Amino acid sequence: MMPNRAVFLDLSPLDQGDLDLAPLRSAFDELVCHDLSTPEQIVERLRGAQVAVVNKVALDAQTLAACPELKLILVSATGVNNIDLQAARERGIAVSNCQAYGTPTVAQHTLMLLLALATRLPDYQAAVARGRWQESGQFCLLDFPIVELDGKTLGLLGHGELGSAVAKLAEALGMRVLVGNLPGRPKRPDRLDLDELLPQVDALTLHCPLTEQTRNLIGARELQLMKPTAFLINAARGGLVDEQALADALRRGHLGGAATDVLTSEPPRDDNPLLAPDLPRLIVTPHSAWGSREARQRIVAQLAENATAFFAGSPLRQVN
């Protein structure tokens, strides 16, 4: 049975005008899209809708109670922390998310950050912009030490689909890959506890979810266990790293560099310690690791699949 009406409450984080929304539109009799929606606009916009499509818009218990016709919530992301899942379950509202849509893109971004740190790309770009190469007395400028990744050790925290993809790319560069045990999960004999893993790695990349067990997974103690030349890369969730501890470690020269695509609060506040202008060897990208056109188009396809499967009686990617 075809649903009558669906409303996409915050399309703009997904679509920059470069996506084909036809697969999603074909899943409904009517699809109404809004670039963004304020909390005050949600209930009115969902009036008469059987399906809500959201990215980061919050749907709490009070909102769901005010939308009695709602049958399905489609989340155009993997995380569903913006949905009151218990309230949805109590009201018989199904929730489906999107999964593994950005694996090649995020793995590529993670490797880019690692290569940029190893080759000191931002420092060399800045030096050329300042005229340092032009003033050099020789053909090259080698002011910043470059690290060859071949033969170095990469540590992974999180070895699911994304971590495995990063491991494959790292191994193609000649790196040795070690995997760590995660707090809150059963220990595996083929993986190392943090205290054993961290002193061995030349680079550490994070690919695990943010839970109460993994919050501040990498703090001052863990950073101190790492080599002073090691790189830290986080393209997972901001809360995995103690941001003040990382800023302090970079300032005192402990770590070869760090890169993050995520911060604890997004968009970030000006007082975030990782946005201080004096931090050396830090790269911050604006939660853009997932955002290739190909990855975003896969989200559109999965949203359409989830809607069609639900109304056909065979739900896909349902999380409640």
Side-chain angles (χ1 to χ4, degrees):
M1 173 180 163
M2 182 78 79
N4 181 40
R5 187 170 189 266
V7 178
F8 203 140
L9 290 168
D10 54 342
L11 177 64
S12 63
L14 176 66
D15 185 17
Q16 305 300 306
D18 55 349
L19 298 184
D20 177 11
L21 298 180
L24 187 58
R25 294 190 184 281
S26 68
F28 310 105
D29 290 337
E30 178 187 7
L31 174 65
V32 178
C33 295
H34 301 281
D35 285 342
L36 296 170
S37 296
T38 66
E40 296 75 23
Q41 294 172 321
I42 294 173
V43 172
E44 179 59 34
R45 288 181 170 179
L46 288 180
R47 196 175 306 280
Q50 291 75 49
V51 181
V53 191
V54 299
N55 186 277
K56 294 295 184 286
V57 164
L59 297 178
D60 58 19
Q62 183 177 356
T63 301
L64 296 178
C67 302
E69 296 181 62
L70 207 58
K71 301 298 181 187
L72 173 65
I73 298 169
L74 299 173
V75 181
S76 62
T78 301
V80 293
N81 55 298
N82 53 322
I83 312 297
D84 188 325
L85 293 178
Q86 180 176 343
R89 194 177 303 114
E90 291 171 354
R91 295 189 169 277
I93 303 171
V95 180
S96 291
N97 68 349
C98 296
Q99 301 170 13
Y101 54 84
T103 298
T105 298
V106 178
Q108 170 182 295
H109 192 93
T110 301
L111 189 67
M112 177 274 295
L113 293 174
L114 177 57
L115 289 169
L117 290 172
T119 59
R120 301 293 293 271
L121 177 62
D123 295 309
Y124 279 111
Q125 282 187 306
V128 172
R130 292 195 305 268
R132 292 283 300 281
W133 189 20
Q134 297 88 317
E135 298 164 357
S136 176
Q138 57 182 357
F139 75 95
C140 62
L141 186 70
L142 291 174
D143 288 8
F144 310 104
I146 297 169
V147 173
E148 186 175 271
L149 294 176
D150 183 35
K152 300 297 191 298
T153 299
L154 174 69
L156 294 173
L157 290 176
H159 195 248
E161 184 167 341
L162 179 54
S164 299
V166 171
K168 184 177 179 180
L169 294 176
E171 288 169 344
L173 293 176
M175 299 188 78
R176 178 175 74 123
V177 175
L178 298 176
V179 182
N181 282 306
L182 286 171
R185 296 187 184 180
K187 291 187 177 182
R188 292 179 44 164
D190 58 335
R191 299 183 181 183
L192 304 177
D193 290 343
L194 273 184
D195 286 12
E196 186 179 359
L197 174 74
L198 295 178
Q200 297 189 54
V201 302
D202 299 293
L204 178 71
T205 64
L206 308 181
H207 308 288
C208 48
L210 178 63
T211 66
E212 286 310 308
Q213 290 79 22
T214 60
R215 189 176 302 277
N216 290 330
L217 177 64
I218 304 299
R221 188 186 78 85
E222 290 75 22
L223 291 168
Q224 194 59 41
L225 288 173
M226 296 175 69
K227 299 176 184 179
T229 55
F231 304 127
L232 172 64
I233 298 166
N234 183 11
R237 289 291 181 265
L240 296 173
V241 176
D242 182 327
E243 292 170 340
Q244 187 60 60
L246 177 56
D248 293 342
L250 289 169
R251 281 197 180 92
R252 64 173 189 270
H254 185 79
L255 287 186
T260 186
D261 185 58
V262 288
L263 296 173
T264 51
S265 178
E266 297 172 345
R269 300 185 302 268
D270 289 339
D271 62 352
N272 188 294
L274 295 185
L275 296 183
D278 64 325
L279 284 180
R281 301 187 189 181
L282 175 67
I283 301 171
V284 178
T285 54
H287 206 137
S288 56
W290 68 282
S292 71
R293 187 196 61 77
E294 292 87 349
R296 289 180 289 114
Q297 190 64 52
R298 281 193 287 270
I299 290 176
V300 172
Q302 289 191 18
L303 291 172
E305 290 170 359
N306 290 349
T308 301
F310 174 80
F311 284 99
S314 304
L316 279 177
R317 307 182 187 94
Q318 192 164 315
V319 297
N320 74 331

